Amino acid sequence: MVVRSTAAPPTPWSRSLAEPKIHATAFVHSSCNLIGDVNIGANVIVAPGTAIRADEGTPFCVGENTNIQDGVVIHGLEQGRVIGDDGKEYSVWIGKSASITHMALIHGPAYVGDSCFIGFRSTVFNAKVGAGCIVMMHALIQDVEIPPGKYVASGSIITTQQQADRLPDVQVQDQEFAHHVVGINQALRAGYHCAADSKCIAPIRDELNLAGAKSYTSIEIEELERSSEVASNNLGAETVDQLRYLLEQGFKIGTEHVDQRRFRTGSWQSCQAIATRSLGEAVSAVESCLRDHSGEYVRLFGIDNGRRRVLETIIQRPDGVVAGTSNFKAPATTSAGSYNGNGNGNGNGVGSAKLSAETVDQIRQLLAGGYKIGTEHVDERRFRTGSWNSCQPIESNSAQAVVSALEECIESHQGEYVRLIGIDAKAKRRVLEAIIQRPNGQVASSGSTKSFTSTSSATATATVSSTRLSTEIVDQLRQLLSSGMKIAVEHVDQRRFRTGTWAVAGQIQAISEREAIAALEGYISEYPGEYVRLVGTDPKAKRRVLEAIIQRP
């Protein structure tokens, strides 16, 4: 095939007229456009419809064994530079054995390290992605440096270094998947070279004609059709669809069971671990769990690489009823394509009659951050002295189990204060204290959402009040000031709230509590109709200790 490659055009910043350099073993499809100083390494495959254009930012380098898939665009800013592994300056550097998948955008200055995987429609701009990273679909990586070996979930927006530093590590199965993609594309590269060589393709055609065999394409289609017809006598079609969706999205799959007595306390136990990536094997494993625990509750869930649960669904109840009353639909995505996580109301969509939605959000966020959760209670007389007593310890990592335990504590201590506690087990310190019930039975108001504080007590009586801020927020503000924390305010509109794209409104430098409240009220007035949240940061540990939404649209 003739490759469509042209020299760089003369411009005010460059008159080099540099031309692409393509290694003899590489395959570049004829529908691609290569322009300017582009170096394509050995055994690279560049699939149809790509545009690699070094006419502004230059040069580009694509390392050996890398695959650039359909519709990828690679371009760069004229002034942008990164240091390649050879120590030279580049506008775009893509390392060895990397996978830049369908419709991805790599815009220089950009560095993509060896063995990286950049998912469908993801964007890397003015950023460095370290070796061995896996970036899933519809993600944005901008203005940051991703450390090597990190996992970026689908729909993530990573635009601050703090976000980049918090990313989870790539798991073994993710690495296997990335290596598999490289292997598949190497086979495709060899196949395309063979198809263009009459000496290579002629014997294969003769063999097929003599044997009367079906074409490669038709065989593949039939195999795909058979693989999609996975059915189960014990699972509903929607549960099979849910399993298929979880596997396709790269989630791990887990199952748990519990009898009727322990169901109320949320004491779920794990079934046999499911390590397969095959839909048929996953269905068999779930059926085995159902058989082994007939007469019990059984639930199915997915686990992402941040060890967070998604699509937690009860698929069997003690009366033998298996989930199957409503068709499963793949969860909706946000405007950035990110997974919403509240697919069907059984897991991440945990609800409670006794707890506010904000408290359930706090629980979910604490669990996602790897914190332990506890509860304490105190009567009105001892409340003023801060003599709190612990409720039953909570060992579970399930949001539903924690909610059940909190409801049980509230039920056992009617007419008392009850508070939720988040504990950093490594640092051996509390990161949250939020009152979730008061003696009059009132549940914590929306003003206490997502409060991650490092205080010792919340018993102080407010001496300064606010007409626009709840008592809980005033208490939190007081605790931040007394603890020497930095205080900031962030805001976001309704459209960007679902993707977590908060913008900094400003810092609060006030020394007195009254000044801080006035500043906070000023920011609320400045952003009507938007979410506004209070942020506390520990300047020594350089980590956030509080995120509290103080205004909703």
Side-chain angles (χ1 to χ4, degrees):
M1 287 184 178
V2 178
V3 179
R4 288 160 56 180
S5 61
T6 57
T11 58
W13 55 86
S14 174
R15 305 181 70 83
S16 68
L17 304 180
E19 296 185 2
K21 303 177 186 67
I22 303 171
H23 194 277
T25 60
F27 174 82
V28 180
H29 196 272
S30 60
S31 65
C32 300
N33 284 301
L34 270 63
I35 300 173
D37 194 356
V38 178
N39 184 25
I40 303 294
N43 301 319
V44 168
I45 175 172
V46 182
T50 59
I52 304 178
R53 188 159 59 87
D55 55 2
E56 182 181 350
T58 182
F60 296 172
C61 181
V62 179
E64 62 187 47
N65 297 315
T66 285
N67 57 92
I68 310 293
Q69 299 180 16
D70 312 68
V72 167
V73 174
I74 302 177
H75 195 242
L77 298 177
E78 186 271 327
Q79 68 272 25
R81 291 289 182 271
V82 296
I83 304 300
D85 293 348
D86 59 1
K88 298 178 181 178
E89 288 190 342
Y90 293 87
S91 177
V92 174
W93 172 276
I94 299 175
K96 303 174 183 177
S97 301
S99 294
I100 313 299
T101 67
H102 313 291
M103 306 295 287
L105 169 61
I106 310 297
H107 204 289
Y111 173 101
V112 178
D114 295 348
S115 301
C116 280
F117 178 94
I118 308 298
F120 313 148
R121 294 184 180 273
S122 288
T123 298
V124 178
F125 169 57
N126 192 32
K128 180 175 182 178
V129 181
C133 286
I134 292 183
V135 179
M136 297 304 286
M137 286 66 79
H138 293 265
L140 170 63
I141 311 296
Q142 180 180 341
D143 305 329
V144 296
E145 181 173 335
I146 306 290
K150 295 298 181 180
Y151 180 90
V152 180
S154 294
S156 298
I157 298 177
I158 311 299
T159 55
T160 68
Q161 193 57 43
Q162 187 180 42
Q163 291 174 308
D165 293 339
R166 289 178 174 177
L167 289 169
D169 292 333
V170 167
Q171 303 298 305
V172 174
Q173 64 270 23
D174 301 316
Q175 293 172 332
E176 292 174 350
F177 167 69
H179 294 157
H180 175 70
V181 172
V182 172
I184 288 293
N185 279 274
Q186 283 303 308
L188 284 170
R189 180 189 60 82
Y192 276 116
H193 273 307
C194 179
D197 184 351
S198 59
K199 291 181 179 180
C200 178
I201 199 67
I204 299 174
R205 284 177 175 161
D206 292 342
E207 182 182 343
L208 290 173
N209 291 333
L210 288 172
K214 296 178 182 178
S215 70
Y216 176 81
T217 304
S218 65
I219 293 171
E220 284 295 291
I221 290 173
E222 288 183 5
E223 288 180 354
L224 287 171
E225 288 175 346
R226 284 196 297 271
S227 67
S228 66
E229 292 172 357
V230 175
S232 169
N233 295 326
N234 296 323
L235 300 179
E238 55 276 14
T239 303
V240 174
D241 286 342
Q242 183 174 341
L243 279 168
R244 180 182 292 109
Y245 172 80
L246 290 170
L247 290 171
E248 288 174 350
Q249 295 300 310
F251 294 114
K252 291 183 179 179
I253 294 175
T255 47
E256 292 178 333
H257 66 95
V258 68
D259 58 26
Q260 286 182 284
R261 183 171 64 87
R262 292 187 173 88
F263 178 73
R264 294 182 63 84
T265 60
S267 305
W268 292 81
Q269 294 179 310
S270 297
C271 296
Q272 189 71 22
I274 301 174
T276 183
R277 306 302 301 172
S278 162
L279 177 58
E281 292 176 6
V283 167
S284 298
V286 174
E287 288 178 333
S288 176
C289 181
L290 292 176
R291 286 194 301 270
D292 293 343
H293 302 286
S294 60
E296 297 186 21
Y297 290 91
V298 175
R299 69 182 177 191
L300 167 72
F301 52 89
I303 308 169
D304 68 13
N305 280 336
R307 297 184 180 179
R308 292 182 293 256
R309 294 194 177 194
V310 299
L311 290 176
E312 196 172 66
T313 311
I314 293 176
I315 58 174
Q316 177 180 276
R317 301 181 180 277
D319 56 7
V321 176
V322 177
T325 56
S326 62
N327 291 332
F328 167 78
K329 294 182 179 179
T333 56
T334 67
S335 59
S338 63
Y339 170 58
N340 188 3
N342 297 332
N344 49 34
N346 288 312
N348 280 4
V350 174
S352 171
K354 293 185 174 65
L355 302 176
S356 68
E358 290 79 10
T359 301
V360 175
D361 283 343
Q362 283 177 326
I363 292 168
R364 187 180 297 111
Q365 198 165 37
L366 285 169
L367 291 173
Y371 297 110
K372 289 187 176 181
I373 294 178
T375 46
E376 293 179 334
H377 66 95
V378 68
D379 59 26
E380 289 188 271
R381 183 170 64 86
R382 292 186 174 88
F383 176 73
R384 297 183 65 85
T385 61
S387 305
W388 293 81
N389 296 313
S390 297
C391 294
Q392 191 70 18
I394 302 173
E395 301 296 337
S396 177
N397 291 324
S398 161
Q400 185 63 63
V402 173
V403 167
S404 299
L406 259 65
E407 289 178 335
E408 185 175 345
C409 181
I410 289 173
E411 187 70 29
S412 302
H413 300 286
Q414 294 292 328
E416 297 187 21
Y417 290 91
V418 176
R419 71 180 177 188
L420 169 70
I421 300 167
I423 305 167
D424 186 336
K426 293 182 180 179
K428 295 182 179 179
R429 63 193 290 254
R430 295 188 176 190
V431 296
L432 178 142
E433 289 179 342
I435 294 176
I436 58 175
Q437 177 183 273
R438 299 181 181 277
N440 59 5
Q442 180 183 357
V443 177
S445 68
S446 61
S448 61
T449 63
K450 294 184 181 176
S451 46
F452 290 79
T453 68
S454 55
T455 62
S456 59
S457 175
T459 59
T461 303
T463 57
V464 179
S465 61
S466 169
T467 57
R468 306 193 68 174
L469 303 175
S470 68
T471 304
E472 286 82 5
I473 293 297
V474 174
D475 286 343
Q476 287 170 338
L477 195 57
R478 179 186 302 115
Q479 291 160 0
L480 289 171
L481 289 169
S482 63
S483 301
M485 301 296 171
K486 289 185 178 181
I487 303 173
V489 178
E490 296 178 335
H491 68 100
V492 67
D493 59 25
Q494 286 181 285
R495 184 171 66 87
R496 291 186 174 89
F497 176 73
R498 292 179 66 84
T499 60
T501 314
W502 292 81
V504 177
Q507 304 285 330
I508 295 179
Q509 306 292 344
I511 298 175
S512 74
E513 186 180 327
R514 191 177 302 278
E515 290 176 1
I517 289 174
L520 212 54
E521 290 178 336
Y523 284 118
I524 290 175
S525 301
E526 188 176 346
Y527 299 102
E530 294 191 23
Y531 290 89
V532 177
R533 72 178 177 188
L534 173 67
V535 178
T537 306
D538 185 336
K540 293 182 179 179
K542 295 182 179 179
R543 59 178 295 195
R544 293 191 175 193
V545 297
L546 179 142
E547 288 179 344
I549 295 177
I550 59 177
Q551 176 180 277
R552 297 176 181 273

